[in-house]
Amino acid sequence: MRKVLSLGIVVLILLSVVPAMELVSAQGAENMWVINSKELVWKDAIDDQGHQKDNWLPRGTSTHFDLKEFRITTDGEYVYFLAVFNDMSNIQLGYNGATFMAIAVDYKAGGETWLAGNSGLQVNSNAKWDYQIVVNLADPSYSGDTATVDLQNAGNWGKIFYIVDNSWSQLAVPGAKMSVNITNNVIELGIPKSLFGGTIPSSLNVTVMTAPGWADGDGNGGVWGEAFDFVSDKTSDEEKSNGVVDYYINIDTSKVSGHSPITVDGDVSDWPGEFVLPKPELTVSVSSNVLDVERWQPANITLSVKNMGEVDAKNVTVYLYDNDNLIKSWLLNISANSEIELSYLYTYSSAWGTHTLKAVVDPDNEIEEVNEDNNIDTVDIEVGRVAKTQNDMVKMGMYVWPKLYMPKYNETLEMVTNLSQMSLPRKYDDQIKAFRLRLNESMQLYQEGNKFINMPHYELRGAMKIFSAYSRLLRLQKDINEFLENLKFKKKIDGLLNDWNETSLVAQNKEAFGAGAHLDSLYVDYDDNYLYIGLKTENTETWRIAYGIGLDYKNGGYTGDTDAWDRKIGFDRGIDAEIYFYWNGPFFGEEGSNTITQGKIAIWNGANWTYYPAFKNASIKYVGGDMGLQTLEMAIPWELLGGKPEKIYISAWIAGANPGDSAVNSLPDDSSMHDSDNEWGDQDKISTFAEVLIK
């Protein structure tokens, strides 16, 4: 038999953390070899030698030539061999019947077949040897337990160590060395590359034979009788039954090269290679052709069980669990480097929800593996998703969505109504009408759903309609908010004034009338659609007061003594529009809300004022509370003011809370704010305005 170390195995050997190995025979941990630490390590079966001569051997046993381990390596200068025997304590050097070993090495074409020592055995015709390395511990020239021999000169047939070529000529091989240590049960050899023409061969075929030996001291010696052991996957008697040692090892020496130099002295500490018993490597994966199981749709579950190891795995248990419930088991035999697929039909049940299907191979760890941590795999399957969804929808349609719908409808109705009342450019009219139509369609769906929800066999239909009605409200609110966000305001109307700066500052006043009536900064900006106004205070208290803004942006305008909110305020410029806000702070012991509770935009039409709700006709935000109004920000459509002018004059003021009151603080600061001991009730005439050019 010829065993070749394949390239695929070599790759694993060089890269795997776990030493790679090749099974040669299925006799447990014996008659196998691995390559590990750049050594080929053969593990031979114990007590598989021939016992025909036991009664005539020392102590009546043949353990001294019973191979236990055989190794090969090279450091580029030498090829090294190490033979480890079962127990050599029954012999001494020079004993008749001591260990005889022949190593036949084939590395080129041609060669001889007969093994040394008049063994009567031949090697496989595919491994005809070029050199045979012979050790005969029966040489009477030696005694004791140890010997180290250099092969400087050719010897004779009874010599303890010799090498012959395929013409049976004994060779002098300077540098060749053999060492035996009976206590360590080893024979160690170092053969220089000079034997092979100066280069370590790229490939070697190696046949190994051991036997009891004899030597007479006159240059004669050989094998004693018919008892042998071999590097073989058979017992010795089976291997020699046809007179041919069929088994040999073919090894690519590059896979064992680069080993550290070995001192041939019978001490095996510089042979670090270790024989590791090949083990199965079981893995399992589980998959499903579908991930949702319904009444009409079962799942085809596939379990893929692999043995990625180099030995077969027998009586392998595989379990399939549904959550923690065992639903199927298998008992398998899996060959090395093979895979078995298992199938299971998983059908619908009323146990709706997520089911974890767990596949487990060798659940009790009865099979020793290279890795015990990859024996489980899971896949999640949803059971009854459609049925559960339908059931949940009916419940939501009966008990949840009706409670949510009407508040959301009223909220959306207010949004649509407010949007309709805003004085936006006319190009938005169709969009606002579409919003109202969608609101009406939602209500119609809701009413239809309420009709069906309590009708047998129509519950799902009713729930779907109610859900659709509610979903439409949510989408409508989202679209309205996006519409408002996309009105293309130049400023972000949020009341924070974060995007205002000195380029838009038109007036400042650091002089306060009081802690609750202190205007600080007035900002003005514009674009093609809106006039933007920002107002900042330095209030530290909250008072009940009114905030007014006057605009002059065309010829004419109002110049009377009482403004649009009946405050005693006149103007020396014609005012075309006023914007008023009522801050509801506390008033002489009466608590207030500390919010703006009214807002009006008044437009002078030449004869009287036309009033518009400020918050419905402009985008307005403010920040304020227990310290009064802090910031106020607005975007007023030019359309509401009659169009975009070329320039605008603006003044802002604080006035009393009631009709008949007057102004106490203004931006820009006006002298009429400082001309009386009764500023809350005197007559004011504002003559100081900030001019803003509109481009």
Side-chain angles (χ1 to χ4, degrees):
M1 177 185 289
R2 181 175 185 258
K3 192 66 184 180
V4 179
L5 182 64
S6 70
L7 180 59
I9 295 297
V10 169
V11 172
L12 286 172
I13 288 164
L14 296 179
L15 300 182
S16 178
V17 174
V18 179
M21 54 207 74
E22 173 74 9
L23 176 65
V24 177
S25 174
Q27 299 181 39
E30 301 169 328
N31 287 352
M32 301 178 185
W33 56 265
V34 300
I35 288 183
N36 189 8
S37 301
K38 299 181 180 178
E39 298 175 15
L40 182 145
V41 184
W42 169 271
K43 187 78 169 181
D44 200 64
I46 300 300
D47 201 33
D48 66 340
Q49 79 280 14
H51 292 276
Q52 293 87 342
K53 291 293 184 181
D54 283 15
N55 291 336
W56 292 275
L57 293 173
R59 299 185 189 173
T61 180
S62 53
T63 57
H64 60 292
F65 69 87
D66 178 18
L67 272 172
K68 181 178 179 181
E69 196 172 281
F70 187 79
R71 302 191 185 195
I72 306 172
T73 190
T74 175
D75 61 1
E77 298 295 324
Y78 282 80
V79 176
Y80 299 98
F81 301 97
L82 175 68
V84 182
F85 296 90
N86 183 4
D87 184 0
M88 301 177 78
S89 64
N90 63 320
I91 65 167
Q92 291 283 302
L93 298 178
Y95 278 25
N96 268 324
T99 307
F100 182 98
M101 179 172 66
I103 303 173
V105 179
D106 166 34
Y107 73 97
K108 60 184 178 180
E112 175 61 81
T113 61
W114 290 101
L115 285 167
N118 293 317
S119 64
L121 298 174
Q122 299 184 73
V123 300
N124 190 308
S125 60
N126 293 320
K128 293 180 179 180
W129 54 267
D130 302 296
Y131 296 108
Q132 196 164 169
I133 304 162
V134 181
V135 176
N136 186 357
L137 301 187
D139 183 351
S141 304
Y142 293 85
S143 62
D145 290 339
T146 62
T148 299
V149 180
D150 292 319
L151 195 59
Q152 298 294 328
N153 302 299
N156 56 58
W157 302 114
K159 191 175 181 181
I160 193 171
F161 175 39
Y162 62 87
I163 297 176
V164 296
D165 62 16
N166 55 23
S167 65
W168 293 100
S169 298
Q170 295 207 16
L171 306 176
V173 184
K177 182 180 287 189
M178 183 278 298
S179 182
V180 57
N181 188 316
I182 289 175
T183 301
N184 291 341
N185 300 311
V186 299
I187 296 175
E188 191 175 21
L189 296 135
I191 308 302
K193 64 183 180 182
S194 59
L195 179 66
F196 306 103
T199 303
I200 301 297
S202 61
S203 176
L204 295 175
N205 295 326
V206 179
T207 306
V208 181
M209 176 196 76
T210 65
W214 68 271
D216 61 7
D218 293 327
N220 301 307
V223 170
W224 180 28
E226 66 272 24
F228 299 93
D229 198 7
F230 308 98
V231 168
S232 171
D233 61 348
K234 301 176 183 178
T235 66
S236 62
D237 290 341
E238 290 173 337
E239 184 61 69
K240 72 182 182 67
S241 61
N242 64 350
V244 177
V245 181
D246 289 309
Y247 197 91
Y248 64 94
I249 294 176
N250 169 268
I251 183 168
D252 179 351
T253 57
S254 68
K255 309 312 173 189
V256 294
S257 65
H259 196 287
S260 299
I262 290 176
T263 302
V264 180
D265 58 3
D267 177 4
V268 298
S269 61
D270 45 5
W271 291 80
E274 178 184 4
F275 181 87
V276 180
L277 175 65
K279 301 176 184 178
E281 174 58 9
L282 300 175
T283 67
V284 64
S285 62
V286 60
S287 61
S288 175
N289 67 322
V290 296
L291 296 180
D292 53 328
V293 173
E294 305 294 345
R295 294 181 187 275
W296 61 89
Q297 179 175 270
N300 292 312
I301 309 301
T302 301
L303 288 75
S304 177
V305 185
K306 295 182 180 179
N307 178 7
M308 298 188 295
E310 300 297 326
V311 293
D312 298 346
K314 299 184 182 298
N315 298 320
V316 178
T317 301
V318 180
Y319 286 162
L320 179 63
Y321 292 90
D322 180 359
N323 292 332
D324 293 325
N325 301 313
L326 179 64
I327 58 175
K328 181 66 176 176
S329 64
W330 295 267
L331 191 64
L332 311 172
N333 293 328
I334 311 176
S335 301
N337 294 303
S338 67
E339 176 180 358
I340 294 177
E341 283 198 351
L342 307 172
S343 298
Y344 180 81
L345 184 66
Y346 188 91
T347 56
Y348 173 85
S349 73
S350 59
W352 298 339
T354 301
H355 289 240
T356 298
L357 300 186
K358 179 172 67 175
V360 185
V361 61
D362 189 26
D364 298 323
N365 287 330
E366 295 176 345
I367 300 174
E368 188 177 356
E369 301 176 56
V370 175
N371 181 4
E372 299 284 2
D373 296 329
N374 55 0
N375 289 8
I376 298 176
D377 192 32
T378 62
V379 63
D380 287 342
I381 290 181
E382 195 74 19
V383 175
R385 178 182 296 172
V386 173
K388 183 178 184 299
T389 301
Q390 291 176 350
N391 186 67
D392 290 345
M393 288 213 47
V394 171
K395 289 181 179 179
M396 295 287 285
M398 287 182 172
Y399 306 114
V400 178
W401 294 324
K403 295 179 181 179
L404 299 175
Y405 182 82
M406 286 311 302
K408 187 63 67 176
Y409 173 82
N410 291 330
E411 184 180 294
T412 312
L413 176 61
E414 183 179 3
M415 293 176 67
V416 173
T417 301
N418 291 341
L419 193 60
S420 300
Q421 293 176 351
M422 289 179 63
S423 181
L424 295 175
R426 292 190 179 92
K427 65 181 180 179
Y428 298 120
D429 289 351
D430 290 342
Q431 181 67 68
I432 296 171
K433 290 178 182 178
F435 288 154
R436 184 169 293 278
L437 177 61
R438 289 168 60 185
L439 180 66
N440 294 337
E441 290 174 345
S442 170
M443 174 55 74
Q444 182 179 351
L445 270 175
Y446 176 71
Q447 292 171 344
E448 291 174 358
N450 273 334
K451 175 182 176 182
F452 287 116
I453 194 68
N454 294 310
M455 294 174 61
H457 309 300
Y458 287 88
E459 299 95 333
L460 181 60
R461 184 176 179 184
M464 293 292 292
K465 284 181 175 290
I466 294 174
F467 172 71
S468 179
Y470 182 69
S471 298
R472 290 189 183 200
L473 288 183
L474 298 179
R475 288 194 296 271
L476 179 55
Q477 284 198 3
K478 178 176 179 292
D479 291 346
I480 291 174
N481 287 326
E482 287 181 354
F483 172 78
L484 292 172
E485 289 290 330
N486 293 329
L487 287 176
K488 297 183 179 179
F489 290 138
K490 182 177 181 180
K491 300 292 185 183
K492 184 177 182 180
I493 308 301
D494 55 9
L496 300 177
L497 303 182
N498 290 335
D499 52 353
W500 296 83
N501 54 46
E502 291 185 356
T503 61
S504 302
L505 180 66
V506 298
Q508 273 191 308
N509 184 5
K510 298 301 181 183
E511 184 175 348
F513 180 81
H518 185 182
L519 291 175
D520 178 74
S521 303
L522 176 64
Y523 299 88
V524 178
D525 207 342
Y526 60 88
D527 58 23
D528 289 339
N529 296 312
Y530 299 96
L531 170 66
Y532 302 94
I533 300 174
L535 192 63
K536 179 179 178 296
T537 78
E538 289 292 337
N539 294 333
T540 58
E541 296 181 6
T542 177
W543 295 354
R544 188 171 297 181
I545 53 178
Y547 290 86
I549 300 173
L551 303 175
D552 172 21
Y553 49 85
K554 62 182 178 180
N555 294 329
Y558 177 75
T559 57
D561 294 332
T562 304
D563 72 0
W565 256 31
D566 293 328
R567 273 39 173 196
K568 291 193 295 185
I569 303 173
F571 309 94
D572 70 352
R573 304 189 64 88
I575 297 301
D576 303 301
E578 283 188 42
I579 309 164
Y580 254 106
F581 299 97
Y582 186 82
W583 181 261
N584 186 25
F587 188 72
F588 292 102
E590 179 185 340
E591 292 186 359
S593 62
N594 293 330
T595 61
I596 293 176
T597 55
Q598 293 185 57
K600 297 287 185 181
I601 298 176
I603 307 296
W604 180 252
N605 62 16
N608 49 52
W609 294 102
T610 301
Y611 294 89
Y612 300 92
F615 286 92
K616 293 184 178 180
N617 289 276
S619 181
I620 302 171
K621 294 288 183 182
Y622 68 92
V623 175
D626 293 342
M627 296 178 64
L629 179 68
Q630 297 297 304
T631 54
L632 176 66
E633 187 174 22
M634 66 193 78
I636 304 171
W638 286 122
E639 281 189 352
L640 182 64
L641 302 179
K644 182 180 178 184
E646 294 182 355
K647 68 173 64 175
I648 193 168
Y649 295 90
I650 183 170
S651 175
W653 60 86
I654 292 176
N658 301 307
D661 290 339
S662 62
V664 298
N665 197 224
S666 68
L667 286 171
D669 187 31
D670 191 85
S671 60
S672 64
M673 305 294 120
H674 314 286
D675 60 1
S676 171
D677 293 335
N678 181 23
E679 286 298 338
W680 288 111
D682 68 342
Q683 178 66 51
D684 293 320
K685 187 173 185 178
I686 296 176
S687 59
T688 307
F689 291 80
E691 180 183 19
V692 180
L693 297 177
I694 309 298
K695 298 181 181 179

